[in-house]
Amino acid sequence: MKINNVILKTVTKVVIYIILTLAVYLFLAGHNSPGGGFIGGLVLSTAFVLLFIVYDIETIQKALPFDFKKVAALGAFLAVGTGFGSFVFDVPFLTQAFGYFNLPFFGEVELTTVTIFELGVALVVVGVVVTIILSISEDV
Amino acid sequence: MNVSTIAEFIAVLFMLIGAIMAVISAIGIIRFPDIYTRSHAGTKSSTLAVLLTLLGAFLYFVTTIGFVSVRLLLGIIFVFITSPVAGHLITRAAYRAKVKLADTTIEDELADVLNEKERSEGK
């Protein structure tokens, strides 16, 4: 018997935008208030896990055609890459720099290389969590 | 009494009503006989309790330090959307797992509909 769960599916379509917005907000807010790469990545992966639970896995994998193991690898590469980037400027490993830039729309913004490191952390968290959920959900 | 004091009083009143509502919801969960009435007490009044408390906190921050917290507004919307759906899913899972209704139940209309459906699919 095919189960009709239209309420859950419709609510997920609305709620997923709030979760994704919160994930991006937490990721960007990490420098000056609670948040950061780890928790932003966790919230982002809960959005993916919610989609995987409500819809079936094949549909979502068609919509999100990432290999999440490769996403985790890319994140680790980014995090280590910002560390090695400091060697170019002849400073110790993982030295982070920041600067103030005038962007056309946002005005004066502080841009840091820590953001790239945090992006790496977030990608690793998303990759690991989704990989765990997908591998334990499969029937052996 | 100036305006900010009145606004603060309203915020505190919201939070107090929210807390009382949460206690009433908890009493309902203890006192009701079966899962369906308990879910009725647990979803509706807890949702309203959380909404009132968050709204009170939002008003308090707006009036005292002039900080409009979008996170609290998003939280209000989020809880308002998701909490009844969670109650719906729990009750539905309980019904599909054939959890018994309370002894005082008079009529179970969903059972007739489900039996009809199974009979028509069985043909």
Side-chain angles (χ1 to χ4, degrees):
Chain A
M1 193 172 91
K2 198 170 181 320
I3 298 168
N4 172 18
N5 51 2
V6 65
I7 296 177
L8 183 60
K9 285 187 175 177
T10 314
V11 164
T12 305
K13 275 179 201 159
V14 180
V15 155
I16 209 78
Y17 289 105
I18 300 180
I19 303 177
L20 291 175
T21 314
L22 183 71
V24 175
Y25 166 78
L26 281 175
F27 174 72
L28 292 176
H31 203 59
N32 297 317
S33 52
F38 183 76
I39 197 163
L42 266 184
V43 174
L44 194 59
S45 48
T46 56
F48 291 154
V49 170
L50 178 67
L51 283 177
F52 278 123
I53 288 174
V54 173
Y55 299 89
D56 52 328
I57 291 178
E58 286 79 20
T59 316
I60 300 302
Q61 272 180 338
K62 213 178 284 171
L64 298 167
F66 314 123
D67 184 355
F68 281 95
K69 291 184 214 68
K70 282 179 188 158
V71 170
L74 175 71
F77 176 75
L78 270 181
V80 178
T82 56
F84 278 111
S86 60
F87 287 147
V88 177
F89 302 99
D90 203 19
V91 284
F93 183 61
L94 276 176
T95 304
Q96 305 289 346
F98 64 95
Y100 295 94
F101 299 92
N102 269 315
L103 296 182
F105 181 66
F106 296 100
E108 192 176 331
V109 180
E110 184 190 3
L111 293 180
T112 62
T113 54
V114 185
T115 312
I116 306 173
F117 181 80
E118 289 284 304
L119 182 65
V121 174
L123 286 182
V124 169
V125 170
V126 169
V128 168
V129 171
V130 177
T131 307
I132 289 173
I133 295 293
L134 282 186
S135 23
I136 64 176
S137 70
E138 279 166 8
D139 282 335
V140 181
Chain B
M1 240 168 124
N2 52 356
V3 178
S4 75
T5 320
I6 296 171
E8 208 172 296
F9 179 76
I10 292 172
V12 170
L13 193 70
F14 269 132
M15 281 190 259
L16 181 69
I17 297 173
I20 293 171
M21 200 75 82
V23 172
I24 292 173
S25 164
I27 294 172
I29 290 176
I30 296 172
R31 300 267 306 163
F32 274 135
D34 66 344
I35 180 170
Y36 307 102
T37 43
R38 273 181 195 159
S39 149
H40 167 80
T43 30
K44 282 192 190 57
S45 39
S46 316
T47 311
L48 185 60
V50 173
L51 293 190
L52 284 174
T53 316
L54 287 181
L55 190 65
F58 174 77
L59 282 178
Y60 182 77
F61 283 128
V62 167
T63 51
T64 50
I65 57 175
F67 172 65
V68 179
S69 171
V70 183
R71 267 173 295 170
L72 278 174
L73 287 181
L74 267 184
I76 290 173
I77 297 171
F78 190 83
V79 172
F80 185 63
I81 296 175
T82 53
S83 168
V85 178
H88 160 76
L89 289 174
I90 292 169
T91 326
R92 182 185 159 113
Y95 192 86
R96 295 292 163 104
K98 299 194 169 53
V99 174
K100 277 203 172 50
L101 280 71
D103 299 332
T104 48
T105 310
I106 297 170
E107 197 174 6
D108 185 3
E109 288 178 338
L110 183 57
D112 302 340
V113 178
L114 279 181
N115 287 337
E116 190 86 5
K117 206 173 162 192
E118 272 169 17
R119 222 178 297 138
S120 66
E121 275 171 3
K123 267 178 197 169

